[in-house]
Amino acid sequence: TYIRGRNRIDGIFVSYGIAHTVLRTGLTPFHTFFTSDHRAAYVDFSAALLFKSNAYELVRSKGRGLQLKDPRIVDVYIQFLFNQLEYHKVMEKLDRLIRIPVANWEEKDKITYEKLDRVITESMAYAERKCSKRYSTKFYWSPLLLKAVYVYRYARLRLKEFRGITVTKKTLLYHQAQASISEDKHKELDSIEKIVIFLREAKAKMKEHQKKHVELRKE
């Protein structure tokens, strides 16, 4: 089990009381999972015998699409959720149930409650899917950072245009407007050299805002 020796110096010791639950044991070849001068030893137990229950596959927890640090996503989520709840008349049905003491609920009221709970849960999941992965969540949102990103994107599009790469006028005008770039400034960028300088400045400004994204979010 040791690369510089012939003797077994690694092992797994199991209590006699659970020895009967062992299914298999073994050693992996050297450097299988990591670089080491030892071989990894493993042992598999029968979960049914050892824990009196079956072992289930561990599933990675699902990441949330809803990010509260970005108000754009929150607004979209709330709007989608409100529309779904309104469509299914959830608030009206809940209002009727609230007026009835729980002790006086009939079987139909319990069924309605379960249905409403299911509808609300499904509506929340639907709204979350609608606003998931629409925006970057690496940095906190702020007007200054958003504008800096659009300036950088505009500069890249302008450079592509001068290099003969197809850029639609609509796309360029949209980014120009979002970046608050005047028409005079747009016309001033009339050569690759000027655009490259502008692009470098825009990228530096964007990186500067990204470093201060937490402070900018508080402003």
Side-chain angles (χ1 to χ4, degrees):
T1 62
Y2 184 54
I3 203 168
R4 288 189 288 273
R6 296 183 177 180
N7 299 324
R8 179 191 293 268
I9 61 174
D10 300 292
I12 298 175
F13 297 91
V14 178
S15 299
Y16 178 79
I18 62 172
H20 68 286
T21 67
V22 175
L23 296 177
R24 63 188 66 84
T25 63
L27 296 166
T28 64
F30 289 109
H31 315 308
T32 301
F33 302 109
F34 46 83
T35 302
S36 173
D37 53 4
H38 291 259
R39 297 172 67 181
Y42 66 87
V43 56
D44 286 340
F45 295 94
S46 168
L49 293 175
L50 184 60
F51 305 114
K52 304 302 181 182
S53 175
N54 292 321
Y56 299 97
E57 181 182 358
L58 296 178
V59 180
R60 183 179 179 181
S61 58
K62 183 180 178 182
R64 292 298 306 275
L66 182 62
Q67 302 290 331
L68 296 181
K69 61 187 177 184
D70 191 332
R72 297 169 300 175
I73 296 179
V74 175
D75 291 342
V76 172
Y77 174 84
I78 291 174
Q79 189 59 55
F80 274 111
L81 179 58
F82 176 79
N83 291 341
Q84 285 295 107
L85 297 181
E86 189 176 52
Y87 175 79
H88 292 286
K89 299 181 180 180
V90 171
M91 303 311 296
E92 296 178 21
K93 296 173 182 177
L94 276 177
D95 187 57
R96 189 188 70 81
L97 280 180
I98 290 173
R99 297 175 186 274
I100 306 173
V102 177
N104 297 336
W105 277 11
E106 299 178 2
E107 187 62 29
K108 64 178 183 179
D109 297 320
K110 296 177 182 179
I111 294 174
T112 300
Y113 176 83
E114 292 294 337
K115 287 182 178 179
L116 287 175
D117 181 64
R118 186 162 56 251
V119 169
I120 293 172
T121 302
E122 291 174 353
S123 298
M124 293 171 66
Y126 170 81
E128 184 174 334
R129 288 196 303 272
K130 283 294 183 180
C131 66
S132 296
K133 299 181 180 179
R134 293 171 63 98
Y135 307 102
S136 168
T137 56
K138 184 177 181 181
F139 304 103
Y140 284 115
W141 181 91
S142 69
L144 283 176
L145 178 55
L146 178 63
K147 181 180 177 180
V149 170
Y150 273 112
V151 172
Y152 173 68
R153 290 176 178 174
Y154 163 82
R156 291 188 62 183
L157 290 171
R158 188 73 167 144
L159 184 59
K160 285 183 177 180
E161 184 183 42
F162 263 78
R163 287 178 172 172
I165 301 174
T166 302
V167 177
T168 64
K169 186 176 182 180
K170 181 180 179 181
T171 300
L172 191 61
L173 287 175
Y174 172 79
H175 283 79
Q176 180 183 344
Q178 294 297 317
S180 301
I181 295 174
S182 65
E183 190 61 28
D184 291 337
K185 182 63 178 178
H186 174 74
K187 293 178 179 178
E188 185 182 309
L189 300 171
D190 56 3
S191 67
I192 289 182
E193 291 76 16
K194 291 181 181 179
I195 297 173
V196 168
I197 294 174
F198 181 76
L199 176 61
R200 289 173 178 170
E201 292 174 350
K203 185 176 182 179
K205 193 69 174 178
M206 181 181 68
K207 293 291 184 182
E208 179 185 340
H209 285 342
Q210 286 175 342
K211 290 179 181 178
K212 300 187 298 182
H213 68 106
V214 177
E215 292 84 352
L216 291 175
R217 180 71 182 91
K218 296 176 181 179
E219 293 182 1

